[in-house]
Amino acid sequence: DELTNTLIIPQIEHFGGRLASTAGDRLLVEFPSAVNAVRCAIAFQTAITVRNAAQPENRQMQFRVGIHLGDIVEQEGDLFGDDVNIAARLEGMAEPGGILVSEQVAASLRGKIENPLEDLGPKTLKNMPQPVRVFKVAPQVAAVQPAKAERPGGKGLMAAGLVALCLLLGAGWAYVNLWQNN
């Protein structure tokens, strides 16, 4: 749709993401780093906030983002595994317009983003044997400006998928799951 082509895809490309596949309102995208995936989520959410301010209430959209770092399995462009499920659960817990990240992602962000992180503590997630420590990424305060993408420094890829934005970063992969709330 128009929003995907004019707002989502340009953000993904700006941060070095590569669209791997689509299914319904999901996009699977690869990123070169966890930091770039989070920066993409921040830029995307900021751009949606600006877009919404110029729209009548019935045309505004809200997206929730969850981001996790862990192992995943890829089969024919689809990503599977417990760590994908954790990202999806984080997305489900996020407030509309919000971004939640796991402790693993938060550790990789130290000193690399300006947005403060709020520790929400350990959360028990459906079908997960261990609680996951969750952090909320504070919204962008400054005016919308394209953030600088980080050059990939590590080996492997980060895959991400958008269901309207849940990002899972794992073993070199990131899953982005955007959920749209109209």
Side-chain angles (χ1 to χ4, degrees), residues 27-57:
L27 306 174
L28 293 178
V29 183
E30 293 176 327
F31 283 97
S33 76
V35 173
N36 281 359
V38 173
R39 287 178 176 163
C40 180
I42 292 166
F44 173 81
Q45 290 290 42
T46 303
I48 287 293
T49 299
V50 169
R51 177 200 175 276
N52 283 345
Q55 298 292 321
E57 191 172 328

CSV table of all heavy atoms in Angstrom, one decimal, residues 27-57:
chain,number,residue,atom,x,y,z
A,27,LEU,N,6.1,-7.7,6.8
A,27,LEU,CA,7.3,-7.6,5.9
A,27,LEU,C,8.5,-8.2,6.7
A,27,LEU,O,8.7,-7.9,7.8
A,27,LEU,CB,7.6,-6.2,5.6
A,27,LEU,CG,6.5,-5.3,5.0
A,27,LEU,CD1,7.0,-3.9,4.9
A,27,LEU,CD2,6.1,-5.8,3.7
A,28,LEU,N,9.2,-9.1,6.1
A,28,LEU,CA,10.4,-9.7,6.7
A,28,LEU,C,11.6,-8.9,6.1
A,28,LEU,O,11.7,-8.8,4.8
A,28,LEU,CB,10.6,-11.1,6.4
A,28,LEU,CG,9.5,-12.0,7.1
A,28,LEU,CD1,9.7,-13.5,6.7
A,28,LEU,CD2,9.6,-11.9,8.6
A,29,VAL,N,12.5,-8.3,6.9
A,29,VAL,CA,13.5,-7.5,6.5
A,29,VAL,C,14.8,-7.9,7.2
A,29,VAL,O,14.8,-8.2,8.4
A,29,VAL,CB,13.2,-6.0,6.8
A,29,VAL,CG1,14.3,-5.1,6.3
A,29,VAL,CG2,11.8,-5.6,6.3
A,30,GLU,N,15.9,-7.8,6.5
A,30,GLU,CA,17.2,-8.0,7.1
A,30,GLU,C,17.9,-6.7,7.4
A,30,GLU,O,17.9,-5.8,6.5
A,30,GLU,CB,18.1,-8.8,6.2
A,30,GLU,CG,17.7,-10.3,5.9
A,30,GLU,CD,18.5,-11.0,4.9
A,30,GLU,OE1,19.0,-10.3,4.0
A,30,GLU,OE2,18.7,-12.2,5.1
A,31,PHE,N,18.6,-6.6,8.6
A,31,PHE,CA,19.4,-5.4,8.9
A,31,PHE,C,20.8,-5.8,9.2
A,31,PHE,O,21.0,-6.9,9.7
A,31,PHE,CB,18.8,-4.7,10.2
A,31,PHE,CG,17.6,-3.9,9.9
A,31,PHE,CD1,16.3,-4.5,10.2
A,31,PHE,CD2,17.7,-2.6,9.5
A,31,PHE,CE1,15.2,-3.7,10.0
A,31,PHE,CE2,16.5,-1.9,9.3
A,31,PHE,CZ,15.3,-2.4,9.5
A,32,PRO,N,21.7,-5.0,8.9
A,32,PRO,CA,23.1,-5.3,9.2
A,32,PRO,C,23.5,-5.2,10.7
A,32,PRO,O,24.5,-5.7,11.1
A,32,PRO,CB,23.9,-4.2,8.4
A,32,PRO,CG,23.0,-3.1,8.3
A,32,PRO,CD,21.6,-3.7,8.2
A,33,SER,N,22.6,-4.6,11.5
A,33,SER,CA,22.9,-4.5,13.0
A,33,SER,C,21.7,-4.3,13.8
A,33,SER,O,20.7,-3.8,13.3
A,33,SER,CB,23.9,-3.3,13.2
A,33,SER,OG,23.2,-2.1,13.2
A,34,ALA,N,21.7,-4.7,15.0
A,34,ALA,CA,20.6,-4.5,16.0
A,34,ALA,C,20.4,-3.0,16.2
A,34,ALA,O,19.3,-2.6,16.3
A,34,ALA,CB,20.9,-5.2,17.3
A,35,VAL,N,21.5,-2.2,16.3
A,35,VAL,CA,21.3,-0.8,16.5
A,35,VAL,C,20.6,-0.2,15.3
A,35,VAL,O,19.7,0.7,15.5
A,35,VAL,CB,22.7,-0.2,16.6
A,35,VAL,CG1,22.6,1.4,16.7
A,35,VAL,CG2,23.4,-0.7,17.9
A,36,ASN,N,20.9,-0.6,14.1
A,36,ASN,CA,20.2,0.0,12.9
A,36,ASN,C,18.7,-0.4,12.9
A,36,ASN,O,17.8,0.4,12.5
A,36,ASN,CB,20.8,-0.4,11.6
A,36,ASN,CG,22.1,0.4,11.3
A,36,ASN,OD1,22.4,1.3,12.1
A,36,ASN,ND2,22.7,0.1,10.2
A,37,ALA,N,18.4,-1.6,13.4
A,37,ALA,CA,17.0,-2.0,13.4
A,37,ALA,C,16.2,-1.2,14.4
A,37,ALA,O,15.1,-0.7,14.2
A,37,ALA,CB,16.9,-3.5,13.8
A,38,VAL,N,16.8,-0.9,15.6
A,38,VAL,CA,16.2,0.0,16.6
A,38,VAL,C,16.1,1.4,16.1
A,38,VAL,O,15.0,2.1,16.2
A,38,VAL,CB,16.9,-0.1,17.9
A,38,VAL,CG1,16.4,0.9,18.9
A,38,VAL,CG2,16.8,-1.5,18.5
A,39,ARG,N,17.2,1.9,15.5
A,39,ARG,CA,17.1,3.3,14.9
A,39,ARG,C,16.0,3.3,13.8
A,39,ARG,O,15.3,4.4,13.7
A,39,ARG,CB,18.4,3.6,14.3
A,39,ARG,CG,19.5,3.9,15.4
A,39,ARG,CD,20.8,4.3,14.7
A,39,ARG,NE,21.8,4.6,15.8
A,39,ARG,CZ,23.1,4.6,15.6
A,39,ARG,NH1,23.6,4.3,14.4
A,39,ARG,NH2,23.9,5.0,16.6
A,40,CYS,N,15.8,2.3,13.1
A,40,CYS,CA,14.8,2.3,12.1
A,40,CYS,C,13.4,2.3,12.8
A,40,CYS,O,12.5,3.1,12.3
A,40,CYS,CB,14.9,1.0,11.2
A,40,CYS,SG,13.6,0.9,9.9
A,41,ALA,N,13.2,1.6,13.8
A,41,ALA,CA,11.9,1.6,14.6
A,41,ALA,C,11.7,3.0,15.1
A,41,ALA,O,10.5,3.5,15.1
A,41,ALA,CB,12.0,0.6,15.7
A,42,ILE,N,12.7,3.6,15.7
A,42,ILE,CA,12.5,5.0,16.3
A,42,ILE,C,12.1,6.0,15.1
A,42,ILE,O,11.2,6.8,15.3
A,42,ILE,CB,13.8,5.4,17.0
A,42,ILE,CG1,14.0,4.6,18.2
A,42,ILE,CG2,13.7,6.9,17.3
A,42,ILE,CD1,15.4,4.7,18.8
A,43,ALA,N,12.9,5.9,14.0
A,43,ALA,CA,12.6,6.8,12.9
A,43,ALA,C,11.2,6.6,12.4
A,43,ALA,O,10.5,7.5,12.1
A,43,ALA,CB,13.7,6.7,11.8
A,44,PHE,N,10.8,5.3,12.2
A,44,PHE,CA,9.5,5.0,11.7
A,44,PHE,C,8.4,5.5,12.6
A,44,PHE,O,7.5,6.1,12.2
A,44,PHE,CB,9.4,3.5,11.6
A,44,PHE,CG,8.0,3.0,11.2
A,44,PHE,CD1,7.6,3.1,9.9
A,44,PHE,CD2,7.1,2.6,12.2
A,44,PHE,CE1,6.3,2.7,9.6
A,44,PHE,CE2,5.9,2.2,11.8
A,44,PHE,CZ,5.4,2.2,10.5
A,45,GLN,N,8.5,5.2,13.9
A,45,GLN,CA,7.5,5.7,14.9
A,45,GLN,C,7.4,7.2,14.9
A,45,GLN,O,6.3,7.8,15.0
A,45,GLN,CB,7.8,5.2,16.3
A,45,GLN,CG,7.6,3.7,16.4
A,45,GLN,CD,6.1,3.2,16.4
A,45,GLN,OE1,5.3,3.7,15.6
A,45,GLN,NE2,5.7,2.3,17.3
A,46,THR,N,8.6,7.9,14.8
A,46,THR,CA,8.6,9.3,14.8
A,46,THR,C,7.9,9.9,13.5
A,46,THR,O,7.1,10.8,13.6
A,46,THR,CB,10.0,9.9,14.9
A,46,THR,OG1,10.6,9.4,16.1
A,46,THR,CG2,10.1,11.4,14.9
A,47,ALA,N,8.2,9.2,12.4
A,47,ALA,CA,7.6,9.6,11.1
A,47,ALA,C,6.0,9.4,11.1
A,47,ALA,O,5.3,10.2,10.6
A,47,ALA,CB,8.2,8.9,9.9
A,48,ILE,N,5.6,8.3,11.8
A,48,ILE,CA,4.2,8.1,11.9
A,48,ILE,C,3.5,9.1,12.8
A,48,ILE,O,2.4,9.6,12.5
A,48,ILE,CB,3.9,6.6,12.4
A,48,ILE,CG1,4.2,5.6,11.4
A,48,ILE,CG2,2.5,6.5,12.9
A,48,ILE,CD1,3.3,5.6,10.2
A,49,THR,N,4.2,9.5,13.8
A,49,THR,CA,3.6,10.6,14.7
A,49,THR,C,3.4,11.9,13.9
A,49,THR,O,2.4,12.5,14.1
A,49,THR,CB,4.5,10.8,15.9
A,49,THR,OG1,4.6,9.5,16.7
A,49,THR,CG2,4.0,11.9,16.8
A,50,VAL,N,4.4,12.2,13.2
A,50,VAL,CA,4.4,13.4,12.3
A,50,VAL,C,3.2,13.3,11.3
A,50,VAL,O,2.4,14.2,11.1
A,50,VAL,CB,5.7,13.8,11.7
A,50,VAL,CG1,5.6,14.9,10.6
A,50,VAL,CG2,6.7,14.1,12.7
A,51,ARG,N,3.2,12.2,10.7
A,51,ARG,CA,2.1,11.9,9.7
A,51,ARG,C,0.7,12.0,10.3
A,51,ARG,O,-0.1,12.7,9.7
A,51,ARG,CB,2.3,10.5,9.0
A,51,ARG,CG,1.2,10.2,8.0
A,51,ARG,CD,1.1,8.6,7.8
A,51,ARG,NE,0.0,8.3,7.0
A,51,ARG,CZ,-1.2,8.1,7.4
A,51,ARG,NH1,-1.6,8.4,8.6
A,51,ARG,NH2,-2.2,7.8,6.6
A,52,ASN,N,0.6,11.4,11.5
A,52,ASN,CA,-0.7,11.4,12.1
A,52,ASN,C,-1.2,12.9,12.5
A,52,ASN,O,-2.4,13.2,12.5
A,52,ASN,CB,-0.7,10.6,13.4
A,52,ASN,CG,-0.8,9.1,13.1
A,52,ASN,OD1,-1.1,8.7,12.0
A,52,ASN,ND2,-0.5,8.3,14.0
A,53,ALA,N,-0.2,13.7,12.8
A,53,ALA,CA,-0.6,15.1,13.2
A,53,ALA,C,-1.2,15.8,12.0
A,53,ALA,O,-2.0,16.8,12.2
A,53,ALA,CB,0.7,15.8,13.7
A,54,ALA,N,-0.9,15.4,10.8
A,54,ALA,CA,-1.5,16.1,9.6
A,54,ALA,C,-2.7,15.4,9.1
A,54,ALA,O,-3.2,15.8,8.0
A,54,ALA,CB,-0.4,16.1,8.5
A,55,GLN,N,-3.2,14.3,9.8
A,55,GLN,CA,-4.3,13.5,9.3
A,55,GLN,C,-5.5,13.7,10.2
A,55,GLN,O,-5.4,13.9,11.4
A,55,GLN,CB,-4.0,12.0,9.3
A,55,GLN,CG,-2.8,11.7,8.4
A,55,GLN,CD,-3.2,11.8,6.9
A,55,GLN,OE1,-4.3,11.5,6.5
A,55,GLN,NE2,-2.2,12.3,6.1
A,56,PRO,N,-6.7,13.6,9.6
A,56,PRO,CA,-7.9,13.6,10.5
A,56,PRO,C,-7.9,12.3,11.4
A,56,PRO,O,-7.2,11.3,11.0
A,56,PRO,CB,-9.1,13.6,9.5
A,56,PRO,CG,-8.5,13.2,8.2
A,56,PRO,CD,-7.1,13.5,8.2
A,57,GLU,N,-8.5,12.3,12.5
A,57,GLU,CA,-8.5,11.2,13.4
A,57,GLU,C,-8.8,9.9,12.8
A,57,GLU,O,-8.1,8.9,13.1
A,57,GLU,CB,-9.4,11.5,14.6
A,57,GLU,CG,-9.2,10.5,15.7
A,57,GLU,CD,-10.0,10.9,17.0
A,57,GLU,OE1,-10.2,12.0,17.2
A,57,GLU,OE2,-10.4,9.9,17.7
